[in-house]
Amino acid sequence: MVSLLSNPLATSDQLASSPSQSDGLTPDLEVSLRWAGSTLIQSAGILLRLPQPTIATAIILFQRFYLLASFRSFPVLATCHAALYLASKLTETPAKPRNIINVTKYLLKTPSASPVSPAQKEAAEGEGAYVDEHMYLYHRTRLLDMETEILKALGYQTHTGLPYTLTINYAQTLDCLSKPLLLRCFGYLTDALLSPSMLYLTHQPNALAAAALYLAARDEKVKLPEGWWEMFDVDREDLGFLVAGMKSVEEFVRSQKEAWGDGVPWDEKELEDAVRKRLHGAE
Amino acid sequence: MSSRWTDTAEDLAEATRLKEEKAAKRAAKERKRREAAAAAAAAAAATPTTSPPASKRQKTRNDASDAIAPERAKTKEPKLLRFNGATISACRHVETSYERLNHIEEGSYGIVSRARDLETAEIVALKRLKLERETDGFPITSLREVTTLMASREHPNVVRLREVVMGDTLKDVYIVMDFVEHDLKTLCEDMAEPFLLSETKTLLQQLLSATAYLHSHWILHRDLKTSNLLLNNRGQIKIADFGLARYTGDPAPPLTQLVVTLWYRAPELLLGATTYGFEIDLWSIGCIFGELLTRNPLLQGKNEIDQLSKIFELLGVPTESTWPGFRRLPNAKSLTFPKHSATTGSLLRTKFPLLTKAGVDLLGALLRLDPKSRISADDALMHEFFREEPRPKAAEMLPTFPSKAGQEKRRKAFSPGAPVRGDAPVLEGVVGGGVFGGVEEEAAGAGFSLRMGR
Ligand SMILES: Nc1ncnc2c1ncn2[C@@H]1O[C@H](COP(=O)(O)OP(=O)(O)O)[C@@H](O)[C@H]1O
Ligand SMILES: [Mg+2]
């Protein structure tokens, strides 16, 4: 599926003004909710056997949405559900709301199934990792509403060009295509989805692809010609920024996991508690 | 010639008022345009050829601290940039952005209406999406309509999507397009004379050019027909109604066969092919070509079987050599073909006695039964037909069709609608029962009959 459209990017104003923060969230809470939501989507997508382009699309839609909306007004879990559902339709690999809801429930209830698992205590309390019919209908209604809320917030502009296949083209052009190299590239590109700098909202796919290739080539000790990124319309400054951003994701994720051993505040009540706590802490 | 969009005295008065209003707004618009141009330049700079302002901001933010940058918005995003792929911005509200003038499809539909942009006074078309009965959220078909339309909106012969707006509820969604004065179906019905050959060439060329563009972007339209082709007063065709369009790939994914309005539906679809490609759009274009020449739909079947028999009547019954493997198509098994071989030849020559040899050749190439040997949009554009005399007329020289005030409702000729859609989420690859499922029916054509049944 080729498209000449470039991705809509966040403006500097949008990056500077966060609706969540205007709504009383501290910056660290916002960063963490973004990370947790993106990670939940990635893990759920894998369990749902959705292809990575679908998962990446969902994460990008999720992040674009919270560029324009507040985590306090639109609870994170329903947005994760809806982003997955919408992305699955957009990429012609439709997933069922029931499966999406069951999978996130499973992920949030199962200790160490993923970095997003919250308190182990709940699992210990014997709550099953299934969703009863009542809860299912509740989540489903919210999912469907959130789907349109996302479309509305994005002005139905859902185009999400991805860098994955571009890296293949670039590596081919540079005559360095190999499986280990490609796997590393894809690893960096998937990591980059979790970056607190929202790399996919600030850069076009060609720059992301070049940065991933740069890092992968370095890891694999592949020599590339001087200034090769210019062939792909990427300038040095952007490349440097993205390379730094991609490299720091691992450390960022480690710090988030450490900070949120008990799980991030997924539900509205937990979030309100967290907001209150921070408010008092600051005073 | 009449246009049903400006057919009342009120509308005329409205048009006059508008003209004045427009003059007044021209200065404002000019300013807007300059702003937009500047912003577009900035947006172009935001592609990675140079450093994007967004990432710059991000950089400083990253380097310093997580604190919110103090400087605030100086300029609003210019509205004209809405869909340029440059910004992420929310839907506007239909009521505060547009004033609805009248329904375009006189009551029968009520879903496409003419409206005025309150900011610029431009006239637009609003198409309300049918979402009330949806139970699975925003329908995948509507998502495809918006995404494919958005991806092709830059082509001069595709109706330009302006934005998507919403009403008060989440089920109230409108596609906003440039308003286009006529559609080809109505024009063909109302015209005293058919288009001249030179004019037909221009229209066909534009249609092929847009279709080639769609296909090169992996978009199948799947509902090309005269009522979905709009024509403005500058002689430009605009392909509209992407309600059945979707992206395809190589190899093509399994696709539903419930596409394309019957009269424009390719034989492989009628025979139940489980995979199909861009060729189906070219078949439709062949039908449209024929219709432009005579002002009448070329193949007016009463049902699927009748449609097939009309097709074979005009173009001959396929044989293993003209369409290798067609007998293995799901619905071909239940077809009974006549024994006489005289019916395998094409009657196009006789049907279009005034058309040149090249013209008949192109028409035949578009209406090739075997999709594999059907001409592509790119090749059709290169066809001799467009180079021989009379040459395609310049679009601006095409006749315009002035509107008569007070013109009453047009009498509507019967024509079948597009296949069901939006009623249920279309599960690609699943064909409900099959078009020929269980029917025992006979359709008589000239000189042969088709017998359907299990
Ligand atoms: N942009 C437009 N400008 C003017 N008329 C339009 C426009 N779009 C659609 N129409 C009119 O409305 C009719 C229905 O629109 P269409 O998009 O084909 O919807 P449907 O899916 O209901 O067929 C068209 O046949 C045409 O007459
Ligand atoms: Mg239509």
Side-chain angles (χ1 to χ4, degrees), chain B residues 28-248:
Chain B
K29 257 173 81 183
E30 210 36 66
R31 195 176 58 240
K32 248 190 170 30
R33 205 167 285 142
R34 271 199 303 276
E35 267 172 29
T47 63
T49 30
T50 56
S51 7
S55 68
K56 279 247 169 70
R57 164 87 258 123
Q58 189 66 7
K59 267 169 251 183
T60 45
R61 200 179 149 200
N62 241 39
D63 294 343
S65 72
D66 254 338
I68 306 168
E71 72 216 74
R72 292 303 324 255
K74 282 145 269 153
T75 50
K76 278 237 162 240
E77 295 307 321
K79 171 175 161 286
L80 293 174
L81 267 181
R82 204 164 296 273
F83 268 159
N84 280 9
T87 60
I88 304 167
S89 54
C91 280
R92 300 197 298 164
H93 194 285
V94 66
E95 301 299 337
T96 58
S97 312
Y98 296 96
E99 174 189 353
R100 255 168 284 198
L101 301 174
N102 60 276
H103 284 310
I104 286 174
E105 275 283 338
E106 264 302 314
S108 70
Y109 268 94
I111 60 158
V112 179
S113 39
R114 193 167 141 264
R116 178 176 33 238
D117 185 323
L118 291 171
E119 226 172 286
T120 64
E122 289 165 303
I123 298 296
V124 302
L126 290 183
K127 178 174 177 176
R128 185 168 196 269
L129 300 178
K130 296 175 204 154
L131 305 178
E132 278 77 11
R133 285 180 300 142
E134 291 307 326
T135 53
D136 292 304
F138 197 75
I140 194 165
T141 48
S142 299
L143 276 178
R144 290 170 180 160
E145 179 167 8
V146 174
T147 52
T148 54
L149 200 49
M150 199 177 300
S152 41
R153 64 192 286 280
E154 295 304 331
H155 194 279
N157 300 115
V158 173
V159 69
R160 206 172 71 93
L161 172 68
R162 300 167 72 100
E163 62 176 318
V164 178
V165 293
M166 292 183 69
D168 289 333
T169 73
L170 292 178
K171 298 260 181 203
D172 213 11
V173 183
Y174 304 80
I175 292 178
V176 187
M177 300 164 271
D178 283 354
F179 173 77
V180 187
E181 290 88 344
H182 312 277
D183 73 66
L184 270 188
K185 175 166 175 281
T186 314
L187 267 189
C188 282
E189 282 164 10
D190 291 356
M191 281 168 94
E193 297 279 311
F195 286 106
L196 297 174
L197 192 57
S198 60
E199 295 164 355
T200 303
K201 282 187 192 182
T202 306
L203 298 177
L204 192 60
Q205 213 169 24
Q206 296 182 11
L207 173 57
L208 284 167
S209 155
T211 305
Y213 183 87
L214 296 185
H215 292 177
S216 73
H217 288 79
W218 297 95
I219 295 168
L220 278 170
H221 185 281
R222 305 201 295 186
D223 199 15
L224 292 176
K225 56 174 173 177
T226 43
S227 64
N228 288 339
L229 299 178
L230 310 176
L231 182 69
N232 68 16
N233 275 334
R234 274 160 293 136
Q236 286 178 307
I237 288 254
K238 305 278 180 183
I239 297 186
D241 197 352
F242 281 57
L244 286 175
R246 63 161 287 170
Y247 281 105
T248 183

Side-chain angles (χ1 to χ4, degrees), chain B residues 282-319:
Chain B
L282 286 136
W283 177 275
S284 305
I285 293 176
C287 298
I288 293 164
F289 184 11
E291 186 168 342
L292 289 174
L293 293 169
T294 63
R295 282 176 304 160
N296 279 314
L298 184 62
L299 297 157
Q300 308 185 31
K302 289 193 275 293
N303 50 47
E304 279 90 347
I305 303 149
D306 189 39
Q307 187 67 26
L308 263 182
S309 78
K310 291 247 159 46
I311 289 172
F312 295 158
E313 203 178 299
L314 180 65
L315 300 153
V317 174
T319 64

Side-chain angles (χ1 to χ4, degrees), chain A residues 165-177 181 213 224-225 228 231-232:
Chain A
T165 47
L166 281 181
T167 54
I168 304 179
N169 298 345
Y170 292 1
Q172 237 159 10
T173 308
L174 295 166
D175 212 16
C176 65
L177 188 61
L181 180 91
L213 185 57
L224 295 175
W228 59 269
M231 286 171 68
F232 310 114

